Amino acid sequence: EICACLVGSEMCIRDRDGYSRLACDRKTCDTVEYLQGNDPRTGSWKTVKRLTADGVEATITLCPDCYPGYKAVAEANDKAVNSYLEGAQ
């Protein structure tokens, strides 16, 4: 038996033995982990929501190795958008 579930804020697949399958959505990453809900490593996986330039919401699951890079890119884009909204060219 397999079901979809949330572990913290993470979307995952859980089997009947209580293990969740977490897979990184970054195309160049092949990280997949099977963790029990009480495993502290579960909290190091991040699920982020973002809007595309067309306003479409995307949900992305990132492993602990890929999340810092995503965060750096998101912060740089936030600065660019804020600068634009403040009137910069």
Side-chain angles (χ1 to χ4, degrees), residues 7 9-11 22 45-49 59-62 67:
V7 177
S9 62
E10 318 307 328
M11 186 65 183
L22 297 168
W45 282 76
K46 304 294 181 194
T47 298
V48 296
K49 292 185 179 194
T59 302
I60 305 161
T61 301
L62 295 167
Y67 179 71

Side-chain angles (χ1 to χ4, degrees), residues 43-81:
S44 62
W45 282 76
K46 304 294 181 194
T47 298
V48 296
K49 292 185 179 194
R50 63 174 294 272
L51 292 178
T52 67
D54 296 326
V56 177
E57 186 176 283
T59 302
I60 305 161
T61 301
L62 295 167
C63 70
D65 292 332
C66 292
Y67 179 71
Y70 170 84
K71 185 176 178 186
V73 169
E75 288 172 348
N77 285 336
D78 288 347
K79 287 179 185 177
V81 168

